[in-house]
Amino acid sequence: MCLIAFAWNVHPRWRLLLAGNRDEFHARPSAPLARWDDAPIIGGRDLEAGGTWLGVTDAARCCVVTNVRDPRDPQIGSSRGLLATDYLTGRADAASHAQQLLRAAANYRPFNLLTFDAQAAFYLGNRPEAGAQSVTPGVHGLSNADFNTPWPKTRILMQRLRDWIDAGGDTDFAPLFEALADEQVAPDAQLPDTGVGLERERWLSSAFIHGEQYGTRASTVVAIGHDGGGVIVERRFGPLGRLVGESLLRFGDLPSP
């Protein structure tokens, strides 16, 4: 993933509400949202490295990973996508997993990781050094920088999520997908300097990245209830933002409407 906003223990129905975009090269092979045949994971799948960028389980666990944007940092180490699959298929709770991963975090390519279970949520990262912190109740954001770094698109998506919650949003996720589809470019004065040049910073500053070779591949909303039931919805896009599919899966104990 490259842009995430989530609400942890804020909504009266949903323990976790998460909205995010995955930006990637369109040529990189990926499988759409599905229940995996070989693991208890519900999510999309990177067919090149075998992992996932976002997944959930019927035990109401969720995990999402982003890269860290720094062209000066060599992309050396194990695939980031394996971090998510390892957590989702493992038995350790979020707190225990965080302590265990700290010891091995330096072995992976630059990453940000969010883990959720029924009791706790954690942020973990390995740049500039390995670190972990418990997530407090509230609305938070993550992109290709440190946790809650106030990049314009992150701040805007967090506010759109707050607005949806304040307006009584429950199962109509259309406003969240509209927020994820925002192609507004941030003013130059608000752009971060991540070493990719001004033109590319502008292009990457919108929530939805529109491109022929690289861009937003998937927009996803996850909602996990305090009762353990949940729903995950994925919209998939091809080159130049063309919608190519949408999937919705229920998991846990959530009854059908």
Side-chain angles (χ1 to χ4, degrees), residues 160 173-183 207 235:
R160 300 275 295 264
F173 301 129
L176 300 182
F177 279 108
E178 290 174 7
L180 292 170
D182 187 0
E183 295 187 34
R235 291 183 180 175

Side-chain angles (χ1 to χ4, degrees), residues 185 198-206 209-211 214-215:
V185 174
L198 180 57
E199 184 177 351
R200 193 166 182 83
E201 294 285 10
R202 288 170 178 156
W203 180 50
L204 296 174
S205 70
S206 59
I209 308 300
H210 194 273
Y214 178 93

Side-chain angles (χ1 to χ4, degrees), residues 32-33 177 217-220 233-238 241-248:
L33 171 67
F177 279 108
R217 296 277 304 271
S219 295
T220 307
V233 188
E234 177 187 83
R235 291 183 180 175
R236 295 177 294 279
F237 304 93
R242 179 175 58 89
L243 180 67
V244 296
E246 180 172 338
S247 303
L248 181 154

Side-chain angles (χ1 to χ4, degrees), residues 43-148:
R45 193 164 196 170
D46 176 15
L47 298 179
E48 186 171 303
T52 187
W53 52 93
L54 168 64
V56 299
T57 73
D58 281 310
R61 290 157 69 91
C62 178
C63 189
V64 58
V65 63
T66 82
N67 68 339
V68 177
R69 191 198 304 166
D70 185 350
R72 298 156 296 193
D73 194 325
Q75 298 290 312
I76 298 173
S78 301
S79 170
R80 287 175 289 264
L82 300 178
L83 291 165
T85 56
D86 287 349
Y87 172 71
L88 293 171
T89 59
R91 296 185 177 183
D93 60 26
S96 299
H97 170 267
Q99 294 303 314
Q100 294 170 10
L101 180 57
L102 276 177
R103 296 192 289 269
N107 299 329
Y108 291 87
R109 297 172 190 172
F111 74 84
N112 295 310
L113 188 73
L114 294 169
T115 59
F116 305 90
D117 64 19
Q119 287 77 39
F122 277 81
Y123 162 77
L124 301 101
N126 68 346
R127 293 296 186 275
E129 59 186 19
Q133 67 182 85
S134 176
V135 174
T136 58
V139 175
H140 301 275
L142 181 64
S143 188
N144 303 116
D146 200 4
F147 187 44
N148 282 328

Side-chain angles (χ1 to χ4, degrees), residues 15 21 25 31 39 67 110 113 118 191 193 196 213 215 224 229 233 238 251:
R15 177 172 67 238
N21 278 343
F25 287 99
N67 68 339
L113 188 73
L191 294 175
D193 181 4
V196 299
Q213 305 298 325
I224 300 179
V233 188
F251 57 92

Side-chain angles (χ1 to χ4, degrees), residues 22-41:
R22 179 199 180 213
D23 304 333
E24 182 56 87
F25 287 99
H26 289 291
R28 187 172 180 117
S30 302
L33 171 67
R35 288 181 174 272
W36 294 16
D37 293 334
D38 56 347
I41 295 175

